[in-house]
């Protein structure tokens, strides 16, 4: 019988007593490539930003000849793999469609036990659902791939991601998931299942989520309560999990410097033992950390500020924000943004714009925003707890 529990450290300070370890899953490192498509979307969802974005684009073309290509440009989270791993817990790093971070860490004696994991992008559509015209993509946490075949697996998973979901072989996804499920030490997690990441609409997205679980749910070991999504969405995920008789599991989805906002409490001493606890014993104990009670928009802002700040104590080559952002040059070759300026520093107008953004994270502006978001957008946390606890 499946058993999921959810607890909150600010309500239950002794919640971790009796457990052997904490398990930190789903965090991203500098090996991850995070698309800049959201910049283009800002002009759709926030009309007031259109003149600012267009002005910046015109200046880019005028002074560098570069037309911004948001689909190909990307940024990387600030923490390198070693910095992200230095936690007193079992840690599974899962960058998007990439396993270079855990493979790199495994060269260190202190990290040879780290699981080889990835966040797999799975394009998904139902050609028989005529009213849903746009496909979406789901993110699956594939944790603890076998070391001997991990490179073969990531190549195979990435090849699948490139296929058109409307024309690929009907059973291909099912076959891949079945083979992964047959590996007893692999953990398959449906990450942030109710986040409509590709903006196809909440109703069409939920139809595809339920279609996916009906078709492939037997190979999914848990649904994720995401530490970077809001109360309402996680509450709905809990309901979804109960409907499909699934466990819920933690996933911090860290992109900045903040530690994961939730963990799994476990009796396991190794990640293999943790996988067996989830898959065989069907037990999951999720603990939300104190920062989760902060307003969601405030936490998103802080994560964004981590990405656009300079970090002088970081390793050389990743200290400045423009050393962690990549974009195509005039020839279409993707390079560090810092190499595209033609000078040692970003343009003055861009530096001024980022200074204004960073000001949002400084006192007293940050405190005022946090209070405004708390009372305007964030329900009182005590009202949300009963729906998530058992």
């Amino acid at each position: 019988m499946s058993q999921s529990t959810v607890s909150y450290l600010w309500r239950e300070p002794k919640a971790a007593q009796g457990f052997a370890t904490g398990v930190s899953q789903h965090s991203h490192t500098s090996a991850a490539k995070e698309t800049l498509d959201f910049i283009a979307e800002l002009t759709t969802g926030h009309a007031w930003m259109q003149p600012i974005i267009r002005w910046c684009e015109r200046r880019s073309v005028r002074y560098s000849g570069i037309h911004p290509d948001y689909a190909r440009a990307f940024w990387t989270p600030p923490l390198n793999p070693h910095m992200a791993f230095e936690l007193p817990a079992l840690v599974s790093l899962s960058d998007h469609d990439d396993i270079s971070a855990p493979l790199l860490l495994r060269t260190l004696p202190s990290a040879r036990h780290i699981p080889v994991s990835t966040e797999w992008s799975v394009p998904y559509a139902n050609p028989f659902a005529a009213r849903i015209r746009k496909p979406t993509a789901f993110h699956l946490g594939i944790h603890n791939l076998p070391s001997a075949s991990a490179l073969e697996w990531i190549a195979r998973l990435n090849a699948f991601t490139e296929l058109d979901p409307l024309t690929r072989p009907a059973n291909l996804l099912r076959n891949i998931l079945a083979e992964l499920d047959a590996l007893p030490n692999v953990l398959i997690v449906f990450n942030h299942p109710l986040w409509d990441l590709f903006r196809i609409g909440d109703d069409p997205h939920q139809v595809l989520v339920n279609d996916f679980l009906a078709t492939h749910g037997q190979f999914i070991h848990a649904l994720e309560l995401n530490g970077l999504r809001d109360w309402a969405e996680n509450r709905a995920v809990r309901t979804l999990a109960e409907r499909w008789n699934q466990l819920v599991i933690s996933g911090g989805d860290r992109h900045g410097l903040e530690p994961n906002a939730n963990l799994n409490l476990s009796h396991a001493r190794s990640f293999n033992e943790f996988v067996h606890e989830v898959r065989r014993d069907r037990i999951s104990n999720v603990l939300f950390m104190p920062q989760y009670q902060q307003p969601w928009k405030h936490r998103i802002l802080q994560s964004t500020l981590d990405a656009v700040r300079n970090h002088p104590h970081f390793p050389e080559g990743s200290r400045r924000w423009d050393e962690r952002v990549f974009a195509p040059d005039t020839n279409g070759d993707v390079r560090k943004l810092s190499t595209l300026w033609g000078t040692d520093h970003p343009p003055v107008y861009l530096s001024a714009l980022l200074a204004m953004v960073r000001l949002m994270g400084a006192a007293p502006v940050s405190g005022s925003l946090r209070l405004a978001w708390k009372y305007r957008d964030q329900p009182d946390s005590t009202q949300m707890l009963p729906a998530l606890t058992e």
Side-chain angles (χ1 to χ4, degrees):
M1 184 176 179
S2 300
Q3 179 184 355
S4 299
T5 66
V6 181
S7 54
Y8 304 83
L9 193 58
W10 63 91
R11 257 188 74 178
E12 306 166 62
K14 298 181 180 180
Q17 288 186 359
F19 291 94
T21 189
V23 185
S24 174
Q25 301 172 103
H26 190 181
S27 54
H28 297 278
T29 74
S30 57
K33 295 180 179 180
E34 307 288 344
T35 179
L36 292 182
D37 273 345
F38 71 90
I39 295 179
E41 292 177 0
L42 286 175
T43 63
T44 302
H46 302 83
W48 63 272
M49 294 196 70
Q50 290 185 19
I52 299 174
I53 299 294
R54 298 288 90 82
W55 181 77
C56 291
E57 291 172 348
R58 288 194 298 270
R59 288 189 68 92
S60 173
V61 174
R62 183 185 311 160
Y63 291 102
S64 70
I66 297 174
H67 295 263
D69 184 346
Y70 302 118
R72 294 185 62 206
F74 61 89
W75 63 279
T76 60
L79 290 183
N80 65 39
H82 189 263
M83 297 168 73
F85 174 71
E86 290 179 325
L87 293 169
L90 298 177
V91 178
S92 183
L93 304 175
S94 51
D95 290 323
H96 297 288
D97 307 303
D98 187 278
I99 58 173
S100 59
L103 290 182
L104 177 63
L105 280 169
R106 282 186 161 218
T107 63
L108 301 175
S110 61
R112 285 176 183 163
H113 62 281
I114 189 173
V116 180
S117 308
T118 187
E119 185 174 23
W120 181 28
S121 301
V122 180
Y124 195 79
N126 184 342
F128 302 105
R131 68 187 184 90
I132 303 177
R133 299 180 179 179
K134 294 175 63 178
T136 188
F138 300 136
H139 288 172
L140 301 184
I142 310 297
H143 300 270
N144 211 27
L145 286 167
S147 301
S149 57
L151 290 174
E152 295 174 12
W153 268 112
I154 195 64
R156 185 176 174 187
L157 298 181
N158 287 344
F160 176 91
T161 299
E162 296 301 317
L163 298 176
D164 186 334
L166 292 171
T167 60
R168 70 187 179 218
N171 290 329
L172 184 57
L173 176 57
R174 181 180 180 85
N175 292 341
I176 291 176
L177 289 173
E179 289 184 47
L180 287 168
D181 177 63
L183 300 170
N185 293 326
V186 167
L187 183 65
I188 305 174
V189 179
F190 194 167
N191 290 349
H192 44 69
L194 293 182
W195 183 12
D196 180 19
L197 186 59
F198 287 80
R199 298 177 183 248
I200 66 171
D202 286 340
D203 289 342
H205 178 78
Q206 292 196 38
V207 168
L208 291 180
V209 166
N210 282 281
D211 180 78
F212 175 83
L213 288 172
T215 308
H216 308 290
Q218 70 189 90
F219 308 119
I220 302 300
H221 305 139
L223 306 187
E224 180 191 66
L225 297 180
N226 188 283
L228 209 57
R229 304 301 297 164
D230 61 29
W231 287 98
E233 184 174 305
N234 278 329
R235 203 167 68 252
V237 170
R238 183 60 180 271
T239 301
L240 179 71
E242 292 172 348
R243 183 186 310 143
W244 290 100
N245 192 29
Q246 291 276 0
L247 288 175
V248 291
I249 203 169
S250 66
D253 207 4
R254 178 187 61 196
H255 287 76
L257 303 183
E258 175 189 88
N260 273 351
N262 58 13
L263 304 167
N264 258 75
L265 299 174
S266 174
H267 298 287
R269 298 287 182 176
S270 69
F271 201 84
N272 282 353
E273 290 183 8
F274 172 67
V275 173
H276 294 170
E277 191 175 78
V278 173
R279 292 188 56 173
R280 183 183 60 205
D281 301 334
R282 302 298 293 158
I283 294 174
S284 176
N285 301 291
V286 179
L287 175 67
F288 279 87
M289 306 303 285
Q291 71 259 35
Y292 192 76
Q293 66 179 324
Q294 295 292 327
W296 178 66
K297 289 184 179 180
H298 177 75
R299 294 182 57 233
I300 294 295
L301 171 63
Q302 294 304 314
S303 183
T304 301
L305 291 173
D306 287 342
V308 300
R309 285 191 180 106
N310 296 324
H311 300 284
H313 60 289
F314 276 24
E316 188 173 351
S318 63
R319 294 170 181 169
R320 285 171 33 182
W321 71 269
D322 56 351
E323 294 176 318
R324 303 187 301 271
V325 179
F326 298 76
D329 62 14
T330 53
N331 297 319
D333 298 323
V334 176
R335 296 164 47 193
K336 282 188 177 184
L337 208 58
S338 59
T339 67
L340 300 180
W341 305 131
T343 64
D344 292 335
H345 300 284
V348 173
Y349 73 89
L350 190 54
S351 296
L353 181 62
L354 285 177
M356 293 175 60
V357 173
R358 293 179 188 128
L359 182 63
M360 297 173 69
V365 177
S366 176
S368 299
L369 287 173
R370 182 168 59 248
L371 286 175
W373 283 328
K374 177 179 179 180
Y375 293 112
R376 183 183 307 169
D377 301 320
Q378 181 78 3
D380 188 293
S381 62
T382 60
Q383 299 175 13
M384 311 300 294
L385 290 167
L388 275 174
T389 54
E390 292 190 345

